[in-house]
Amino acid sequence: RDFHISVVHGRIAAGTVVFRVTNRGPDEHEFIVVRTDGSLPMRVDGITLDEDALEKSIVGSIEPTPAGKTNVLRLQLKPGRYALVCNMFGHYMGGMHAALVVR
């Protein structure tokens, strides 16, 4: 929903993972999967993540999607920690992020 990413399972097995992402908010949202050690670098604006610095850690994404639309993203995830984020201006700081642990 708007300014929130809901995760059905916060811990999953490594391998093929299918994300079914439905935008239930009134605004467009994107969906980015980032492999992380727990900290994510911010841009100098202090509001959005520095995607240039994260380039090697981004394992998949869905471009901005209008309200009411559903997209599917299929990825091969290795064990580790991941962040699921929307990095549109102000959205990450507004709470659009969730943690995912892959075992």
Side-chain angles (χ1 to χ4, degrees):
R1 63 183 195 271
D2 223 20
F3 296 98
H4 182 78
I5 294 178
S6 298
V7 178
V8 175
H9 303 287
R11 293 181 180 272
I12 59 174
T16 301
V17 177
V18 178
F19 294 96
R20 182 177 168 86
V21 181
T22 301
N23 180 355
R24 290 199 168 96
D27 299 317
E28 282 191 339
H29 293 290
E30 64 184 354
F31 182 76
I32 304 171
V33 180
V34 181
R35 187 175 171 115
T36 180
D37 61 4
S39 63
L40 298 173
M42 301 296 289
R43 288 187 181 131
V44 293
D45 64 14
I47 296 175
T48 54
L49 295 174
D50 185 345
E51 289 183 43
D52 292 335
L54 289 171
E55 186 175 346
K56 292 181 181 177
S57 300
I58 294 174
V59 296
S61 65
I62 296 172
E63 292 299 316
T65 302
K69 298 293 182 184
T70 298
N71 287 296
V72 175
L73 178 64
R74 181 182 301 268
L75 298 172
Q76 290 292 321
L77 297 183
K78 298 176 183 177
R81 295 187 173 277
Y82 294 82
L84 312 176
V85 304
C86 175
N87 198 35
M88 295 181 73
F89 190 79
H91 294 204
Y92 177 80
M93 291 302 288
M96 288 201 74
H97 52 86
L100 178 68
V101 175
V102 178
R103 299 177 280 197

